[in-house]
């Protein structure tokens, strides 16, 4: 067993408040929730970061996240909305290095949120070059 906390949860070595499980995916309450009902959806197998997750597993993760978001909306939690959030790398706020999707119920005016610096391109040419750079990398991916 590796020392990944999510692998340990998936193996049942660390307790969790499970809300869903199938052959590929597990979902459980976040231990330090942004709001009541904050769920983490994880692959049972260790993958990190997002771009190393096989498409079949990713499709299941997103399908389960969708169902959980709807279940949160339909539950007694009765949120006004739901955030789906995912981090890759320390710079992006990742603290647990096993891919996971946050599914976070939100209430109007709950004050939760993430602050991102306001970005702006120096010029339309810079934005054109940035779009071209990503498109070129995608061609090779
Ligand atoms: P991130 O910052 O995207 O890597 O999020 C990691 C999340 O994992 C945080 O929201 C933590 O509260 C959560 N977390 C860490 N340890 C546990 C645990 N043992 N059980 C449930 N959630 C956890
Ligand atoms: Zn892991």
């Amino acid at each position: 067993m590796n020392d990944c906390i999510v692998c340990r949860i998936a193996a049942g070595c660390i307790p969790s408040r499970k809300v869903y499980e199938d052959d590929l995916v597990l979902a459980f309450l976040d231990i330090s929730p942004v709001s009541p009902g904050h769920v983490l959806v994880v692959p049972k197998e260790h993958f990190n970061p997002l771009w190393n997750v096989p498409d079949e597993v990713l499709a299941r993760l997103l399908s389960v996240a969708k169902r959980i978001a709807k279940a949160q909306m339909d539950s007694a939690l009765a949120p006004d909305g739901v955030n789906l959030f995912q981090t890759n790398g320390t710079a992006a706020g990742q603290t647990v290095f096993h891919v996971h999707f946050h599914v976070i119920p939100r209430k109007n005016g709950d004050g939760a949120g993430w602050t991102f610096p306001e970005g702006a391109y120096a010029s339309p040419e810079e934005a054109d070059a940035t779009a071209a750079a990503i498109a070129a990398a995608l061609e090779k991916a």
Side-chain angles (χ1 to χ4, degrees), residues 113-138:
W114 293 273
T115 52
F116 292 99
E118 208 162 299
Y121 290 102
S123 64
E125 292 73 21
E126 190 203 7
D128 288 344
T130 300
I134 296 170
L138 267 173

Side-chain angles (χ1 to χ4, degrees), residues 12 27 37 93 137 139 141:
E139 293 278 324

Side-chain angles (χ1 to χ4, degrees), residues 21-98:
E21 180 173 15
D22 64 28
D23 56 327
L24 296 178
V25 164
L26 181 66
F28 52 89
L29 290 188
D30 194 295
I31 204 166
S32 182
V34 168
S35 66
H38 177 170
V39 167
L40 298 180
V41 185
V42 306
K44 286 184 167 177
E45 195 176 335
H46 185 96
F47 298 108
N48 199 64
L50 177 67
W51 39 94
N52 286 336
V53 181
D55 284 350
E56 181 205 4
V57 178
L58 185 57
R60 184 76 65 80
L61 286 165
L62 282 172
S63 170
V64 169
K66 177 184 82 169
R67 289 171 60 198
I68 288 172
K70 177 72 163 55
Q72 289 166 335
M73 292 297 293
D74 293 344
S75 74
L77 292 166
D80 299 307
V82 177
N83 279 124
L84 187 57
F85 189 65
Q86 198 269 329
T87 57
N88 297 285
T90 307
Q94 188 174 18
T95 60
V96 169
F97 296 91
H98 176 132

